[in-house]
């Protein structure tokens, strides 16, 4: 983890309430897809944790949804603004576990970190399948970006306005895959547990205080005892998590 001043290069709306922001600066502390950064906001005591969508040593991209005052303020950040950022937080996805044909499952704004993962898995020659789930067509994003990576991408919407009507679990039935990676809300994970086969990893969403394990405010129960989502996660192996 490092504390950096990153400069906003672009900040654009890409779907209903969803923004894509690119920042430049020292991002060398990011070492794996699935890690996150923590932005300091003026007038707010707590930083805002945002998953890394993709990165290079001198640049990173995040995709976030406006859901409150903090993310609303972020949507107004203009080019050139310098942002106090904790970089390289948390554990990321384990690419080595993927096997030949991994499945990536993203729900809503859980999709962005899977893009960085997908790009690296494709660079390793893996045959990747992707399922992206949204509530409605106006909330869908990054479909072209995943297609550009040359992967099979299935889309589900709860109202049937785009792709298959239903949820990501409806698209999972009958699929063959070597391993799965998922990012999204907890109810999606619980539903996946009823249909997923084999090994996999979940990236958990949680309200965080500090972002690096000091406050113990984002713990979850695992087979190995309580773990901090920000420091021991946000990515945990399927077999670790206790859902009851």
């Amino acid at each position: 983890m490092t504390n950096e001043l990153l400069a906003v290069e672009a900040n654009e709306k890409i779907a209903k309430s969803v923004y894509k922001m690119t920042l430049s600066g020292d991002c060398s502390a990011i070492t794996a897809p699935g890690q996150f950064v923590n932005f300091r906001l003026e007038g707010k005591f707590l930083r805002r944790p945002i998953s890394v969508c993709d990165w290079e040593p001198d640049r990173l991209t995040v995709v976030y949804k406006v859901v409150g005052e903090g993310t609303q303020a972020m949507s107004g950040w203009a080019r050139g603004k310098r942002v106090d950022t904790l970089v390289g937080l948390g554990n990321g996805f384990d690419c080595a576990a993927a096997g030949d044909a991994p499945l990536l499952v993203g729900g809503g704004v859980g999709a962005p970190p899977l893009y960085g993962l997908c790009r690296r898995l494709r660079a390793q020659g893996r045959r990747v399948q992707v399922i992206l789930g949204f509530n409605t067509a106006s909330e869908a994003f990054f479909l072209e970006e995943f297609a550009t990576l040359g992967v099979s991408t299935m889309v589900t919407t709860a109202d049937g306005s785009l792709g298959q009507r239903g949820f990501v679990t409806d698209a999972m039935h009958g699929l063959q895959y070597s391993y799965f990676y998922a990012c999204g809300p907890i109810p999606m994970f619980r539903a996946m547990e009823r249909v997923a086969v084999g090994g996999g990893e979940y990236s958990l969403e949680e309200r965080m205080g500090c972002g690096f394990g000091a406050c113990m405010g984002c713990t979850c129960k695992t087979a190995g005892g309580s773990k901090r989502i920000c420091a021991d996660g946000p990515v945990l192996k399927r077999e670790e998590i206790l859902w009851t």
Side-chain angles (χ1 to χ4, degrees):
M1 178 189 74
T2 62
N3 193 182
E4 306 291 344
L5 279 176
L6 302 183
V8 176
E9 290 189 344
N11 193 15
E12 61 178 327
K13 189 175 183 179
I14 59 173
K16 182 180 179 181
S17 300
V18 178
Y19 287 76
K20 173 185 173 183
M21 180 163 56
T22 304
L23 303 99
S24 60
D26 185 358
C27 300
S28 59
I30 303 172
T31 59
Q35 289 183 292
F36 66 98
V37 296
N38 227 353
F39 295 127
R40 180 181 293 279
L41 280 70
E42 293 88 346
K44 302 296 182 183
F45 178 70
L46 297 179
R47 292 174 179 261
R48 293 306 188 269
I50 305 291
S51 295
V52 173
C53 174
D54 201 11
W55 81 97
E56 300 293 345
D58 61 350
R59 181 174 286 101
L60 72 84
T61 300
V62 296
V63 176
Y64 61 98
K65 185 174 184 178
V66 173
V67 295
E69 292 182 359
T71 45
Q72 181 64 54
M74 287 171 53
S75 70
W77 288 354
R79 179 180 175 85
K81 178 178 176 59
R82 297 179 68 80
V83 184
D84 184 319
T85 310
L86 297 179
V87 181
L89 297 173
N91 294 321
F93 293 109
D94 180 8
C95 293
D100 294 332
L103 172 66
L104 279 54
V105 184
V109 287
L114 297 179
Y115 175 80
L117 171 64
C118 186
R119 191 163 76 86
R120 285 154 182 81
L121 291 175
R122 289 291 293 148
Q124 296 172 359
R126 319 276 188 171
R127 293 180 288 107
V128 181
Q129 300 178 83
V130 177
I131 301 174
L132 302 178
F134 304 97
N135 289 319
T136 187
S138 64
E139 298 179 2
F141 61 92
F142 259 49
L143 307 187
E144 293 183 4
E145 285 81 353
F146 276 101
T148 299
L149 296 178
V151 299
S152 171
T153 304
M154 294 161 279
V155 178
T156 67
T157 50
D159 63 1
S161 55
L162 181 67
Q164 179 179 341
R165 177 187 291 272
F167 304 101
V168 294
T169 46
D170 296 311
M172 290 178 65
H173 288 289
L175 289 183
Q176 302 294 316
Y177 48 91
S178 55
Y179 196 76
F180 72 84
Y181 302 90
C183 187
I186 293 295
M188 183 186 94
F189 296 163
R190 292 184 183 276
M192 285 182 61
E193 277 296 292
R194 295 192 288 268
V195 299
V197 296
E201 299 174 14
Y202 293 110
S203 180
L204 303 179
E205 297 178 347
E206 184 58 81
R207 295 185 68 87
M208 299 177 185
C210 65
F212 48 84
C215 72
M216 304 296 291
C218 60
T219 59
C220 73
K221 294 180 179 179
T222 75
S226 294
K227 289 194 174 183
R228 301 160 298 175
I229 298 302
C230 64
D232 303 312
V235 178
L236 296 176
K237 301 283 187 181
R238 178 186 191 184
E239 60 269 20
E240 290 184 85
I241 304 171
L242 299 179
W243 297 107
T244 57

